Amino acid sequence: MTNTSNDVRGRETRISYQLIRNVTSSEEKENGVQTHIVNIPAVELKKLGTEDNLRTYIPAHSNKRRNAVHRAIARTIETEPSRFINRNSGITIACSKATINDNASLIALVGASIINGAQTQGEILRFLSDLTDEEEEAFGRFSVRAEIIVDPDHSSIVETAIARNTATKVQDISQAGARGHLNDLSEAIRREFGQDIRTSETDTDVLETFQILQFARLLMPIAVSGNPSASEMLRPYKNKAQCLEDFSEWYLNKDADLAAATRYQFVIDIAATAIREYQYWERHPAWNGNYAWGETKKGGRAVRRDKANKVVWVSPGIIFPILKAMSAFVRPNSEGKWILDKPSLFKPDEMVRKAVAQFRAHESNPMDMGRSQSAYEALLTYPETIIEVMRDFADADANT
């Protein structure tokens, strides 16, 4: 929170409004507080600061920190500004004194600061900054709802700011489910497994959507992702939330962006296969023929065994690099649907052996292996070599 200067606390800010209502409760009156609900044109937010807020507009410090929430706010501003007042939770303004002039539709605020809604204000200002004066008058007057708290006790304003910025977050999975982003994926999985996927944080007895998206992302070849970077390779293990965020972005953009449409459809096509593939490697009998510690000093358990001492579970840190290696065998079939097509030259037991070698090379720490670019690249070498050999044979046959 930025300390509010005496100059700011005494500063008067005049805001024009479209409609204002006094909603002060009896308890607020006893505390010397007033509350007004007001609809204001978006351009009026240019007059307000965030001195008493817990945080300012996050991307103002680094554009890399502009996240899905910021982009969702911007999308509404750009495509459906008339719906902004309904789809945005608005802002909260605190001040020490307020004088209303109904005849002029003006409210004069002393020591005004936004205490909740800095990200909303930031995206609005970002939008307005690209407009000319004429464009701002035409497109910058969509309505924003504000709650104005008039409290002469600045320490109370500080406590209100803290309280308004402390809440139980509605999880991204629930938002994606409510918006229909997961409908196609849900239908694809239900068709194959007869089970539902998680579309809400409160769902029970369902397949985990985050895991499905992680597995599918691992099988995505570079030709589809368009991203050969290490961060893309490691994203499923290190950032499952990003997998969901990206999937939602692809859903939203699929009708206008061919790359987004391809990635979205890839996940729908490969999702059921990805689940089966993960389960296949997790319980592969070849694990029983290799020595892998059941416990490690760091990174958690590597394997679990049943009563017959057979491996029935292997840490994701070991399986994820294997699943990524299988992306070398993913291709579209004659109907354009993405499939996993392992050639007969590929030997699963050899893949397990190579994975165990990487596990040992990473000091038997599955967490380190799951986060290691070198582990993924080492395991990719085997299937990629097979693909290259097959292409060489095909080229040789074509030339004879």
Side-chain angles (χ1 to χ4, degrees):
M1 181 184 295
T2 304
N3 292 328
T4 308
S5 68
N6 291 328
D7 178 61
V8 169
R9 292 185 195 177
R11 182 186 61 198
E12 183 178 271
T13 304
R14 296 187 178 188
I15 302 293
S16 68
Y17 61 82
Q18 300 157 342
L19 181 69
I20 191 168
R21 291 289 183 268
N22 189 327
V23 294
T24 306
S25 68
S26 58
E27 292 87 352
E28 286 173 309
K29 289 179 181 178
E30 291 175 3
N31 290 319
V33 176
Q34 296 179 38
T35 300
H36 303 273
I37 300 298
V38 57
N39 297 341
I40 62 177
V43 293
E44 293 296 291
L45 296 185
K46 295 171 69 174
K47 302 175 181 178
L48 294 165
T50 57
E51 293 86 0
D52 280 323
N53 202 1
L54 267 66
R55 57 186 179 183
T56 56
Y57 178 50
I58 293 172
H61 303 285
S62 172
N63 195 53
K64 292 181 180 179
R65 299 181 65 188
R66 190 167 182 259
N67 58 32
V69 174
H70 297 107
R71 290 192 291 271
I73 294 171
R75 189 179 300 114
T76 304
I77 294 171
E78 294 165 2
T79 62
E80 296 183 281
S82 65
R83 292 286 188 179
F84 185 85
I85 195 167
N86 301 122
R87 295 181 181 173
N88 184 270
S89 57
I91 63 172
T92 304
I93 304 167
C95 63
S96 61
K97 182 180 177 181
T99 305
I100 298 172
N101 183 341
D102 263 334
N103 292 328
S105 295
L106 285 172
I107 182 169
L109 309 175
V110 176
S113 171
I114 292 175
I115 63 169
N116 189 248
Q119 308 315 307
T120 293
Q121 182 201 36
E123 285 300 317
I124 289 174
L125 298 186
R126 187 175 188 271
F127 170 75
L128 295 176
S129 68
D130 291 332
L131 304 181
T132 64
D133 291 344
E134 293 78 10
E135 290 171 334
E136 185 176 286
E137 183 63 28
F139 304 114
R141 302 194 67 80
F142 58 90
S143 298
V144 179
R145 185 161 288 131
E147 177 186 8
I148 299 177
I149 301 173
V150 186
D151 191 339
D153 183 354
H154 184 258
S155 63
S156 177
I157 289 176
V158 171
E159 291 302 319
T160 301
I162 293 171
R164 292 300 180 95
N165 285 276
T166 305
T168 301
K169 181 179 180 293
V170 176
Q171 291 197 6
D172 293 340
I173 193 73
S174 297
Q175 295 181 26
R179 290 171 174 156
H181 299 180
L182 303 174
N183 288 356
D184 292 338
L185 181 62
S186 180
E187 177 58 31
I189 298 303
R190 190 182 301 113
R191 188 167 55 244
E192 292 291 327
F193 296 97
Q195 285 183 268
D196 291 325
I197 65 171
R198 182 176 300 284
T199 57
S200 169
E201 59 203 280
T202 56
D203 287 343
T204 57
D205 299 321
V206 292
L207 295 174
E208 289 296 339
T209 303
F210 278 120
Q211 290 182 353
I212 297 169
L213 293 176
Q214 286 173 290
F215 301 162
R217 188 68 169 263
L218 286 164
L219 288 178
M220 184 179 287
I222 293 173
V224 177
S225 72
N227 186 352
S229 70
S231 61
E232 170 66 20
M233 183 182 292
L234 301 176
R235 183 166 289 119
Y237 188 81
K238 297 174 70 172
N239 195 344
K240 67 179 183 180
Q242 187 68 50
C243 293
L244 174 62
E245 182 178 324
D246 289 346
F247 183 73
S248 288
E249 285 289 316
W250 299 336
Y251 170 86
L252 292 169
N253 296 322
K254 60 185 173 65
D255 294 332
D257 184 339
L258 179 59
T262 301
R263 291 163 194 158
Y264 176 79
Q265 191 57 50
F266 174 87
V267 175
I268 303 303
D269 287 349
I270 209 73
T273 297
I275 295 172
R276 292 192 180 97
E277 189 66 9
Y278 189 91
Q279 293 172 342
Y280 168 80
W281 290 108
E282 187 178 48
R283 290 174 171 265
H284 197 280
W287 295 115
N288 295 300
N290 290 275
Y291 175 70
W293 295 346
E295 297 282 353
T296 62
K297 294 180 180 179
K298 296 180 180 180
R301 183 184 292 271
V303 300
R304 292 196 186 105
R305 302 175 185 272
D306 61 15
K307 293 180 180 179
N309 205 35
K310 299 295 184 182
V311 173
V312 293
W313 176 90
V314 179
S315 170
I318 300 173
I319 301 296
F320 271 44
I322 295 177
L323 214 58
K324 185 60 191 176
M326 295 303 98
S327 66
F329 297 142
V330 172
R331 63 173 180 83
N333 65 11
S334 59
E335 298 175 351
K337 180 179 180 179
W338 291 95
I339 62 171
L340 175 61
D341 184 19
K342 299 177 194 173
S344 58
L345 285 175
F346 176 72
K347 306 302 179 186
D349 287 13
E350 179 65 12
M351 188 82 253
V352 170
R353 188 189 68 78
K354 291 179 180 296
V356 171
Q358 283 301 309
F359 173 63
R360 291 171 178 159
H362 287 80
E363 299 182 349
S364 299
N365 186 325
M367 186 179 294
D368 281 354
M369 182 173 171
R371 301 168 68 89
S372 168
Q373 178 184 352
S374 64
Y376 288 77
E377 291 175 343
L379 296 190
L380 261 169
T381 299
Y382 175 42
E384 286 180 342
T385 300
I386 291 175
I387 293 297
E388 290 177 9
V389 169
M390 292 175 63
R391 285 174 181 162
D392 289 344
F393 278 126
D395 291 343
D397 289 342
N399 292 327
T400 58

